[in-house]
Amino acid sequence: MSTKANLNIENTPIDLFIGGSWIHASSGNRIDVFNPSNEQRLASVADADEKDARAAVDAAEKAAPGWAATSPRKRSEVLSRCYELMVSDAENLAALISLENGKAISDARGEVAYAAEFFRWYAEEAVRINGEISISPSGLARTLVQYQPVGISLLITPWNFPAAMATRKIGPALAAGCTCILKPATETPLTAYAIAALLKKAGVPDGVVNVLTTSRSGKVCGSILEDPRVRKLSFTGSTEVGRILLRKAADSIINCSMELGGNAPFIVFEDADLDQAIEGAMIAKMRNGGEACTAANRFYVQRALVDEFTSRLASRMGALIVDDGVNTGTQCGPLVNRGAVNKVASLVDDAVAKGARVVTGGKAPERAGFFYLPTVLADVSPDAELLNEEIFGPVAPVVAFDTEAEAIRLANSTEYGLVAYVYTKDLARGMRVSEAIESGMIALNRGLVSDPAAPFGGVKQSGLGREGAHHGLLEFMEAKYISTNW
Ligand code: NAD
């Protein structure tokens, strides 16, 4: 008998967080939030319009000079308190994430731990903002470079990691001395408001972080990007929406960091440790039920191993406990909404129509909630749509390859370039293939790359810029140089 993670949802804020206060949307409109595990309404949050957006920019502007002038040590201490509060409230936050996103509670706990680490990392980075000094080649000037906060930042986050995608932006923005407006996804606003409450408790001054939920993201974010006081857009979401926002940001020449979609290849060479590759595949595919930008989307396995790999992966995937996300035994929760289930089903149907064989799963179970069974497909045709598109669900298509060159060619045959997984015991081959693959991150004999201390991000149409590490801090700073002599 499974037990449920507990949460008293009545305590979760549901109104806009502007200038340190919780306020109703000026229109009075609200957005319903649903539990994907049972399709029931959980809460309704305020629905901001352009007037509210302007109030949020006003609040961020008012707080900006004070926050930029706060000493690095003080900013660091505030971020440390955010870390401590997040860790001490981890169970509630995890339950909230699981309720509104649907992910298994174990994944939600993992997300909270990961999310909190961004506060800890950027508490440490806040006091390490170094400049540079050099003598110009002519010898006529000294060049002093210093880093200053970029300014008011709009942070837009997706629903798949509602806590971690927010802290991965708020942490460096605050460490750099920027004030910001967070616009979380409409599907998962409660986690963002819970984080806002935590920031307030940790002593983040009023107006430094503002949070807006809206059902009209295009219009409301558009109005913020048109405001000349706003200098930065940090977006995580789909490549499609990323393109729209880059066009919009072009009008005001806004500094943009874009973390976009992925189509990760998972390559297993015949000399790989198969046990390790299966463990890695389960993590790379099934973390968050496959709803991750880093999710392995295409499994390329060298021909000698492909049958064994496929059947072992299928038996692990088929044995996963699929259930309500907040039940403690759950290993795979529902997808986020009905649209996500329909998309996954149509990608699987397309692959099957083109010759793929369903080894396990291949359908939605008959029950309430937005579930899809963990699925392994063999003999997938190269023209199947799911090899070219983000599946964003618990589906693993397996394709055989023969040579190293072919594996590299297949891995690179996509417009995306976020992450790739490579399994081989031959380190020289591992490094050679890692260098040849066009992606921002490589997991070599590992199923996970995400780490607050490492520069996360993609090449090609997976994004611009990096989050995490010192790189993530510099995304919220501008270099200024002073040319002088003495
Ligand atoms: P999405 O692009 O639909 O939405 C992301 C955010 O943008 C949400 O807050 C949404 O409300 C907002 N939005 C949508 N249209 C907008 C518009 N016209 N103007 C302004 N904002 C708008 O993405 P999603 O479905 O929430 O998340 C899944 C996507 O995010 C996947 O493509 C996934 O790969 C990507 N993702 C990338 C990373 C990364 O680090 N690269 C991390 C997580 C998710």
Side-chain angles (χ1 to χ4, degrees), residues 156-161 165 168 183-187 214 217-219 221-222 235-242 244-245 258-262 292-294 390 392 418 456-457 462 467:
I156 305 179
T157 51
W159 49 261
N160 66 337
F161 287 96
M165 297 303 97
R168 197 163 79 170
K183 206 300 287 172
T186 327
E187 293 83 350
T214 177
S217 300
K219 287 250 163 21
C221 293
F235 172 75
T236 298
S238 61
T239 297
E240 192 188 350
V241 172
I244 296 171
L245 286 166
M258 312 298 283
E259 295 286 349
L260 308 177
C293 54
T294 51
E390 272 190 301
F392 243 61
L418 189 62
F456 188 105
S462 285
E467 289 192 322

Side-chain angles (χ1 to χ4, degrees), residues 104 316-324 329-333 374:
R316 288 286 297 274
M317 294 275 281
L320 290 173
I321 298 168
V322 179
D323 202 355
D324 190 326
T330 299
Q331 293 169 307
C332 177

